[in-house]
Amino acid sequence: MNRNIKRYIIIILGFIITGTGSALTLKAGIGVGAWDALAKSTSDLIGIEVGTAGILFNSSCVLGQILILRKQFRLRQLLQIPFSILLGTVINFMVYHILTFPFDSFGGGIVLYLCASTLSAFGVSIVMLLDEVTFALEGFCMALTKLLPFKFSTIRQAVDVISILMIIGLTLSAHISWSIGVGTILGMLTFGPTLGIFMKLFKPILKRHQLLNYE
């Protein structure tokens, strides 16, 4: 099989795994990461599916990259749109067609959230290591580094803070359910380190199969 075909098959699997993990964190019902929580609050507010809200937000991030980068925006970066659609579609399918059973255990929610977050980190690590298509939000934050005198990590963190403030405003004004909670804190504490572990584990495997574009 052609090397590039293998890479894109693995990337597709990475997005599917990430979407499944995101859906499971929503099912845990103890709060999710800031960006996913903003999609959930928007979904509750205007009555669209949560994955669809995510597609709209991620597509707007791609548009933001185009406006910021202009001629520096590479055609390949448009792949973020179909992959954002794939991610949102997986989330919608899992949330509204598979994970329809009742689940209201707080302790079980913590366990489910940690397992789901680990699954998401697994999927994200694959996509990041192959370095062919980035996630739309991260691509937008990277583009902002060309406009603002801040590092990527600072801008990415600022996006989370702004998202949480928007969620608080929406929840208090529109009386929708809270989408942030214990899971939001757990995600901030565990996702990054877990992602680092997976990237360290999988890099030599992908390298051995000559699937990386870098050493």
Side-chain angles (χ1 to χ4, degrees):
M1 186 183 294
N2 181 277
R3 175 179 176 273
N4 285 331
I5 293 176
K6 287 182 181 179
R7 282 168 53 82
Y8 276 101
I9 289 174
I10 295 172
I11 290 169
I12 289 170
L13 289 174
F15 272 89
I16 291 173
I17 291 168
T18 302
T20 302
S22 295
L24 287 168
T25 61
L26 288 164
K27 186 62 180 180
I30 60 170
V32 293
W35 187 246
D36 287 340
L38 183 58
K40 177 63 168 62
S41 294
T42 303
S43 167
D44 291 341
L45 181 65
I46 63 178
I48 62 174
E49 294 182 331
V50 61
T52 304
I55 291 170
L56 294 175
F57 283 144
N58 286 325
S59 296
S60 68
C61 286
V62 179
L63 177 60
Q65 292 174 56
I66 294 172
L67 294 175
I68 293 169
L69 298 175
R70 300 191 181 186
K71 291 182 179 180
Q72 291 181 301
F73 185 85
R74 295 174 297 171
L75 191 61
R76 190 181 69 179
Q77 290 172 276
L78 285 174
L79 287 172
Q80 293 172 72
I81 293 178
F83 277 106
S84 293
I85 293 172
L86 171 63
L87 185 66
T89 301
V90 170
I91 292 172
N92 282 342
F93 177 72
M94 293 297 298
V95 170
Y96 300 106
H97 299 284
I98 303 298
L99 305 175
T100 55
F101 52 87
F103 186 84
D104 56 4
S105 167
F106 181 74
I110 290 177
V111 174
L112 178 58
Y113 184 93
L114 290 173
C115 292
S117 180
T118 300
L119 185 65
S120 291
F122 172 47
V124 171
S125 69
I126 293 173
V127 175
M128 290 183 66
L129 281 169
L130 291 175
D131 194 29
E132 192 74 33
V133 182
T134 188
F135 289 89
L137 176 60
E138 281 66 32
F140 177 63
C141 291
M142 186 61 70
L144 282 175
T145 62
K146 298 184 179 298
L147 280 183
L148 304 174
F150 301 108
K151 294 180 180 179
F152 169 81
S153 57
T154 302
I155 294 174
R156 182 63 183 83
Q157 188 174 42
V159 169
D160 279 348
V161 172
I162 293 169
S163 296
I164 289 174
L165 291 175
M166 291 175 66
I167 292 163
I168 293 172
L170 287 172
T171 305
L172 293 177
S173 62
H175 304 291
I176 56 178
S177 60
W178 286 98
S179 57
I180 54 176
V182 174
T184 311
I185 298 171
L186 285 175
M188 287 190 291
L189 293 175
T190 64
F191 186 82
T194 306
L195 178 63
I197 291 170
F198 277 130
M199 291 185 73
K200 186 176 181 179
L201 285 173
F202 293 132
K203 183 176 180 179
I205 296 173
L206 294 173
K207 183 179 179 180
R208 191 182 314 131
H209 289 85
Q210 299 181 331
L211 293 171
L212 297 181
N213 282 334
Y214 56 92
E215 294 298 325

